[in-house]
Amino acid sequence: LGLRTIEACRPLPWCADEKPKLGDLRKRLIGQLAGYLSQGNG
C-alpha cells in the first residue's frame, strides 16, 4: 500500500533502477524514528 501511494503521488514515473524496495523504505523509516527518539531523550 505504501509504495502504491508513493507511485500515485509522484509527478513522474520511476525509472527501473530508481524504484525503491520495501526493505530500503523500512530501514530508512526506522532510522528516522530512532533519530527522533534519541533527540527527545538527549
Side-chain angles (χ1 to χ4, degrees):
L1 182 61
L3 289 176
R4 298 241 184 222
T5 304
I6 292 170
E7 287 177 3
C9 294
R10 281 183 59 86
L12 299 173
W14 295 106
C15 294
D17 59 340
E18 185 181 69
K19 190 171 182 178
K21 295 180 181 168
L22 190 56
D24 294 338
L25 289 175
R26 186 182 313 127
K27 288 177 187 176
R28 185 173 166 191
L29 287 173
I30 290 172
Q32 287 179 351
L33 179 60
Y36 292 136
L37 292 176
S38 66
Q39 288 176 356
N41 292 333

